[in-house]
Amino acid sequence: MAKRSGTVGFSKYRKHPAALSVILFLGLIVTSGVYTLGANAANEYARSSVDAAAIMNDPASIDAGKRLFATGCATCHGLNAQGNSDGPTLIGVGAASVHFQVSSGRMPMASPGAQVMRKKPQYTEEQTLQLAAYVASLSPGPEIPTAAQLNWAGADLAEGAELFRANCAQCHSFSGRGGALTEGKYAPSLMIATPQQIYEAMITGPQAMPIFNDQTLNLEEKHGIIAYIEYLKDSPNPGGFELGRYGPVTEGLFLWTIGMGALLMVAIWIGVKAK
Amino acid sequence: MSQQVTRGAVDKSIDGTVKYLDDRLSTSGFIKRNIKKVFPDHWSFMLGEIALYSFIILLLSGVYLTFFYKPSLVEIVYDGSYLPLKGIKMSEAYASTLEISFDVRGGLLMRQVHHWGALLFVAAITVHLLRVFFTGAFRKPRELNWVIGVGLLVLAILEGFAGYSLPDDLLSGTGLRIASGIALAIPVVGTYVSFLVFGGEFPGLDFIPRLYTIHVLLVPGIMLALITAHLMMVWYQKHTQYPGPGRTNENVVGYPLMPVYMAKAGGFFFIVFGFLVLVSGLVTINPIWKYGPYMPDQVTAGSQPDWYIGWLDGGTRIMPNWEITVPGMFTLSPNILIPAVVVPGIMFTLLALYPWIEQWITGDKRIHHILERPRNNPNRTALGVMSLVFYGFLWISGGNDIIAQMLNLSINDMTRVIRVLIFITPPIAFIITKRICLSLQHKDRERLLHGDPTGRLLRLPNGEFIEVHEPLSDEVKAILLARTELPMLTPPAEVDANGVKTPNLWVKKLQHRLNRWWYVDQVPMPTAAELTAAKAHTLHELEDAQERGIEIAKDLPSPTKSH
Ligand code: HEM
């Protein structure tokens, strides 16, 4: 969903009264063809080879993190991460939250809107971990998942799919391509989140998303869900093009534009030929 | 291509066939009469054909599906070849649809043909209906066939919904849950209706088997009968034709059924069939394996019905959440009742009765075999566009979450804006459409009186500039002259000749007022006298200019060349 980050500047127009009339046009244009493009966008946030545990355990990281924090985050979260009018306190949010927010480019927040959006990350993986180490040093919270916690190989795909439909689909949709929430908020597409980010999202519950701690979903179940999301990312599509996996709405648009369009053209052609 | 013929002309090429059949069946009179029957020709007359062919394709693909589909809600554990569902509990209905998709040869293609065919079927009916509406083809004597058509549309929508519910996947179940909610919202008897339909508490075990009978037997049976009646009436009443030279209310100009029309229709069938198979081979529809089996506690973002139900869903989405509880008695749910029962009820009733409504207003009881150009009946055209705008907003609302997501809008803002627009834009659409129609009428009148401007400028000796106009071709003239004007109704008398008060006076007054409104701003057709005068003038002007004028642009046609 690189599209999302591209629309940051657009967000101030979206409540514009004219926006609705634009829907009619854009809706048709957008749906006529580009769905499949975004769906399986390559994973631009590949896991880096940085040794996370080493950095998190290195006491020097906390200082480095504190410095980064003072320049990049303190304006909104306060010098000691205690929070102020521009941002909430980060005391107790945990390293997982910082890693999720910063590695997905949400933090530092760029512009206010209905929802903080995913964008290109501003910090390297190493800096991100240093920030996480600093925030975690203030007060404990959900930790960055270990390599073992992220080893989802051998997970039960069918069970994961079932859990995904029961716990995630109502916001992220059956295909994981996301969905609208109230007042301009949305659950984003899951197609570019890394397994680590998926895990961290579950344990920290960013913004409107609920927290799925180990009582709600145990480690095995989390692995199942991650396995299913990874499956969705490049699952085979036995039926052919999937029109962006939006379901009946794009199917209907396809039928009315391309389907009816082609048949009408044939009918007109036969009509003209007859003359 | 063989030549156009008028009804009654004989085409020798098929006499052999007729003789062959006659020697065996003695049906020559019937066949001879009908095989050479003439059909008018226009691309818009093929829209109904698309509907007919997709229906045939639905029957064929549907029968294939019945070989493998199991209409049962008995719970089993899936053990088919789709891995991400292996070992999951589901109904036999869902499991058998998975089996069709993954383990039956050609099954997935057939499912997709069937589902794309269903979307196309309803779309084709809709476009066909719009053609019939905007050209006035429903006017006397074809009102009854219009009603049959509306009946077919309603049945097609119901049939589609029933089919959509059969696979018992997450979307099916979500749709049925809403249907049960609508049944429950019916005042007083709602609970009984819902229990009756579902055989107990939703979802129960009875519903899918019942729906299956409805989907494969009852509704298709009724539709087949209605389609037959529909086509027989077209046959018997003859097809309408667009205005044109030599076309009158008493003849039909076109091609004979055999061989020209049959060849074209047959060819078109295979084009529709081929196109549907192509689309179904390339584009996924309803990937039920991704939705998963229906579980009452699950729902997915972007739960949507097929497009033809979308407007009903849209209505419930933008309806304010009103509920009235009479303590200790019952709860009234106008929030569901109005958008899901009242509004569609009114819309379909108005649609079915429209031929009579228009007739009542215009007082037009004449027989019509020549179609009306949309501009020539501005009120009807404007009413049609206005209804489409209203429908369009309901439709957009049905996909509001997807639109909001794709365009980064807020669903709540969309709902607020649409709640206003859906009421104020239809009347605006009405006014604009009517104005456009009337100015097109003006233009037609101008063309009839003055011909078409040629872009050739002349300067006369007195320094005056004139632009040369060319007389219209016979073809164009015939089309433009086809508009007929009806006299307005006379105002109803308060009392009749015997001094008895007219019964239902207010109804007649209303009719009279509507009649006035219908015709008052109609652009008058040029009279015969005006036309002759204008013709003489154009010719004269051309000659005159030729003689005296100095060509300053392009060369002139010789006056004799004018048709
Ligand atoms: C005439 C109009 C018809 C319409 C609009 C229609 C529509 C549909 C739709 C939308 C579905 C859901 C398919 C899916 O989920 O992939 C469906 C399923 C089905 N239809 Fe029809 N259908 C029609 C006629 C028929 C006929 C005539 C038959 C059989 C004689 C039939 C048999 C079936 C069966 C067995 C299924 C369930 C299997 C499946 O989901 O693939 N249909 N129909």
Side-chain angles (χ1 to χ4, degrees):
Chain A
M1 292 294 293
K3 209 172 88 200
R4 281 267 179 237
S5 49
T7 51
V8 171
F10 178 63
S11 68
K12 64 169 175 283
Y13 299 113
R14 53 194 232 202
K15 301 222 169 101
H16 192 276
L20 205 91
S21 46
V22 174
I23 295 176
L24 289 164
F25 292 98
L26 287 188
L28 279 176
I29 294 163
V30 172
T31 45
S32 319
V34 281
Y35 301 113
T36 30
L37 294 185
N40 278 356
N43 184 355
E44 47 185 292
Y45 304 96
R47 268 200 98 192
S48 64
S49 49
V50 175
D51 184 350
I55 296 177
M56 288 302 287
N57 294 333
D58 181 356
S61 297
I62 297 177
D63 278 347
K66 192 176 162 106
R67 277 194 299 277
L68 288 168
F69 194 90
T71 49
C73 325
T75 44
C76 297
H77 291 289
L79 255 182
N80 299 309
Q82 79 282 16
N84 63 26
S85 56
D86 290 330
T89 171
L90 299 183
I91 309 290
V93 300
S97 178
V98 175
H99 186 269
F100 172 80
Q101 298 284 345
V102 178
S103 72
S104 68
R106 287 181 172 78
M107 290 296 144
M109 192 172 84
S111 62
Q115 180 166 328
V116 187
M117 292 192 210
R118 181 166 189 135
K119 57 186 187 299
K120 215 171 135 42
Q122 308 283 301
Y123 293 89
T124 63
E125 179 71 8
E126 187 177 1
Q127 290 170 325
T128 306
L129 290 166
Q130 288 166 345
L131 281 166
Y134 164 65
V135 172
S137 74
L138 301 173
S139 174
E143 283 163 26
I144 291 180
T146 62
Q149 281 172 315
L150 285 180
N151 184 6
W152 44 274
D156 185 339
L157 186 60
E159 197 202 339
E162 180 82 346
L163 288 166
F164 181 83
R165 287 191 295 269
N167 294 293
C168 320
Q170 74 263 39
C171 297
H172 292 285
S173 110
F174 69 99
S175 60
R177 56 101 188 104
L181 303 175
T182 54
E183 300 293 356
K185 298 199 194 74
Y186 59 88
S189 162
L190 302 179
M191 293 303 114
I192 51 176
T194 63
Q196 179 170 359
Q197 286 165 346
I198 298 171
Y199 192 101
E200 288 166 349
M202 287 193 274
I203 59 174
T204 63
Q207 298 185 70
M209 178 164 156
I211 296 176
F212 297 90
N213 57 28
D214 284 351
Q215 281 78 55
T216 343
L217 292 173
N218 65 32
L219 188 61
E220 236 170 76
E221 294 170 329
K222 286 197 174 78
H223 284 168
I225 288 178
I226 293 174
Y228 187 61
I229 296 175
E230 292 299 303
Y231 172 84
L232 282 177
K233 281 183 188 168
D234 51 9
S235 57
N237 25 351
F241 293 121
E242 295 190 297
L243 305 177
R245 298 186 186 166
Y246 282 94
V249 171
T250 49
E251 290 162 5
L253 270 171
F254 178 85
L255 184 99
W256 271 101
T257 50
I258 297 179
M260 265 320 231
L263 286 176
L264 285 185
M265 255 146 44
V266 172
I268 292 171
W269 176 74
I270 295 180
V272 170
K273 262 294 210 230
K275 293 259 156 66
Chain B
M1 256 314 121
S2 92
Q3 271 215 308
Q4 288 210 342
V5 289
T6 34
R7 178 152 49 97
V10 176
D11 185 349
K12 295 260 182 289
S13 72
I14 43 168
D15 282 356
T17 327
V18 176
K19 186 169 181 318
Y20 180 89
L21 286 175
D22 189 39
D23 288 348
R24 286 150 187 84
L25 303 167
S26 318
T27 49
S28 106
F30 176 79
I31 295 178
K32 211 179 232 153
R33 233 180 312 118
N34 290 316
I35 215 163
K36 289 167 186 167
K37 199 175 173 92
V38 167
F39 275 84
D41 199 42
H42 190 267
W43 66 265
S44 71
F45 299 163
M46 299 172 84
L47 300 172
E49 281 178 46
I50 303 182
L52 178 64
Y53 303 150
S54 23
F55 181 71
I56 296 172
I57 296 163
L58 281 172
L59 286 181
L60 297 175
S61 55
V63 169
Y64 188 80
L65 296 178
T66 58
F67 296 157
F68 310 99
Y69 173 79
K70 291 196 195 71
S72 149
L73 285 174
V74 171
E75 194 175 83
I76 58 158
V77 172
Y78 180 68
D79 192 27
S81 56
Y82 183 65
L83 275 184
L85 285 170
K86 229 182 167 81
I88 299 290
K89 288 199 194 115
M90 57 181 65
S91 65
E92 276 194 289
Y94 183 64
S96 65
T97 315
L98 287 176
E99 188 188 310
I100 295 175
S101 306
F102 295 111
D103 301 299
V104 170
R105 199 171 292 269
L108 182 56
L109 181 65
M110 279 298 183
R111 268 198 63 232
Q112 302 205 136
V113 167
H114 195 67
H115 207 134
W116 279 122
L119 297 202
L120 179 66
F121 181 50
V122 194
I125 295 180
T126 309
V127 185
H128 171 60
L129 180 143
L130 292 177
R131 195 284 289 171
V132 170
F133 180 85
F134 284 113
T135 59
F138 57 81
R139 290 172 300 170
K140 190 177 172 185
R142 297 181 177 77
E143 306 98 318
L144 293 179
N145 224 9
W146 167 265
V147 177
I148 293 185
V150 174
L152 278 166
L153 173 64
V154 175
L155 285 173
I157 292 173
L158 286 178
E159 177 74 350
F161 182 74
Y164 173 94
S165 306
L166 285 179
D168 197 34
D169 61 314
L170 193 50
L171 282 191
S172 296
T174 308
L176 285 179
R177 162 125 256 169
I178 294 171
S180 101
I182 293 170
L184 286 171
I186 301 172
V188 189
V189 293
T191 318
Y192 300 99
V193 172
S194 171
F195 268 60
L196 196 69
V197 171
F198 287 91
E201 199 80 59
F202 175 86
L205 284 182
D206 291 346
F207 194 60
I208 292 279
R210 285 180 187 176
L211 208 59
Y212 182 65
T213 314
I214 292 174
H215 180 78
V216 304
L217 192 68
L218 186 64
V219 179
I222 302 175
M223 284 176 93
L224 204 54
L226 285 181
I227 290 175
T228 313
H230 196 70
L231 295 180
M232 278 171 66
M233 279 170 77
V234 174
W235 189 273
Y236 181 74
Q237 298 180 324
K238 318 218 167 44
H239 205 294
T240 50
Q241 54 188 342
Y242 283 97
R247 299 183 183 182
T248 71
N249 223 7
E250 278 75 44
N251 71 0
V252 184
V253 179
Y255 299 105
L257 181 69
M258 277 296 261
V260 179
Y261 205 72
M262 276 314 223
K264 275 173 59 175
F268 195 42
F269 171 76
F270 285 107
I271 290 176
V272 174
F273 200 167
F275 180 72
L276 258 184
V277 175
L278 184 74
V279 167
S280 307
L282 292 177
V283 190
T284 308
I285 187 163
N286 201 17
I288 50 141
W289 53 92
K290 290 245 165 80
Y291 296 122
Y294 178 56
M295 300 280 164
D297 60 340
Q298 288 179 11
V299 67
T300 165
S303 290
Q304 242 89 16
D306 279 346
W307 77 260
Y308 44 84
I309 307 277
W311 62 288
L312 293 167
D313 192 19
T316 49
R317 285 177 188 222
I318 57 172
M319 181 72 196
N321 194 15
W322 296 334
E323 243 176 26
I324 306 159
T325 308
V326 182
M329 294 276 286
F330 55 82
T331 305
L332 266 185
S333 308
N335 51 349
I336 305 279
L337 211 57
I338 291 177
V341 181
V342 179
V343 169
I346 293 175
M347 282 170 77
F348 278 119
T349 310
L350 286 179
L351 190 66
L353 296 184
Y354 185 78
W356 289 279
I357 298 175
E358 191 185 299
Q359 226 170 65
W360 181 70
I361 296 176
T362 58
D364 183 359
K365 299 274 189 298
R366 296 167 305 172
I367 298 267
H368 293 278
H369 294 306
I370 299 276
L371 294 171
E372 202 163 24
R373 298 166 79 212
R375 70 183 64 175
N376 289 344
N377 202 323
N379 290 299
R380 178 203 299 145
T381 306
L383 281 173
V385 172
M386 167 173 153
S387 314
L388 282 179
V389 169
F390 182 76
Y391 180 96
F393 277 115
L394 289 181
W395 204 20
I396 288 178
S397 308
N400 61 1
D401 55 334
I402 306 280
I403 295 171
Q405 189 198 355
M406 293 207 297
L407 301 181
N408 256 328
L409 293 160
S410 148
I411 290 199
N412 308 62
D413 287 348
M414 276 187 72
T415 306
R416 282 187 280 264
V417 172
I418 289 179
R419 275 179 189 162
V420 177
L421 289 185
I422 198 167
F423 291 110
I424 60 169
T425 48
I428 296 175
F430 181 93
I431 294 168
I432 294 176
T433 313
K434 187 164 174 178
R435 287 294 127 201
I436 293 175
C437 288
L438 289 174
S439 54
L440 287 171
Q441 284 188 3
H442 259 295
K443 197 178 128 218
D444 287 353
R445 187 187 152 88
E446 285 300 300
R447 291 180 73 192
L448 278 173
L449 288 177
H450 305 301
D452 281 335
T454 54
R456 290 161 195 149
L457 277 184
L458 289 182
R459 198 177 66 209
L460 299 182
N462 62 7
E464 189 190 345
F465 285 96
I466 61 164
E467 186 179 8
V468 178
H469 281 66
E470 205 174 30
L472 301 177
S473 69
D474 289 345
E475 166 110 34
V476 174
K477 216 182 289 170
I479 294 173
L480 298 193
L481 281 173
R483 174 152 73 96
T484 53
E485 285 170 302
L486 266 189
M488 288 193 200
L489 295 180
T490 46
E494 304 263 335
V495 288
D496 70 8
N498 301 324
V500 181
K501 266 194 93 181
T502 316
N504 290 331
L505 186 62
W506 70 271
V507 180
K508 299 209 170 88
K509 279 192 167 155
L510 176 69
Q511 180 187 21
H512 178 248
R513 203 165 303 149
L514 284 170
N515 181 264
R516 259 191 68 75
W517 165 76
W518 194 271
Y519 285 122
V520 71
D521 33 19
Q522 178 121 295
V523 178
M525 287 290 284
T527 60
E530 279 175 316
L531 281 173
T532 356
K535 188 171 177 191
H537 173 77
T538 325
L539 218 63
H540 172 73
E541 183 189 77
L542 201 59
E543 278 165 359
D544 193 47
Q546 189 99 320
E547 243 164 57
R548 308 186 294 139
I550 301 156
E551 170 84 55
I552 56 169
K554 280 258 189 123
D555 40 21
L556 275 171
S558 80
T560 44
K561 216 186 97 193
S562 61
H563 330 260

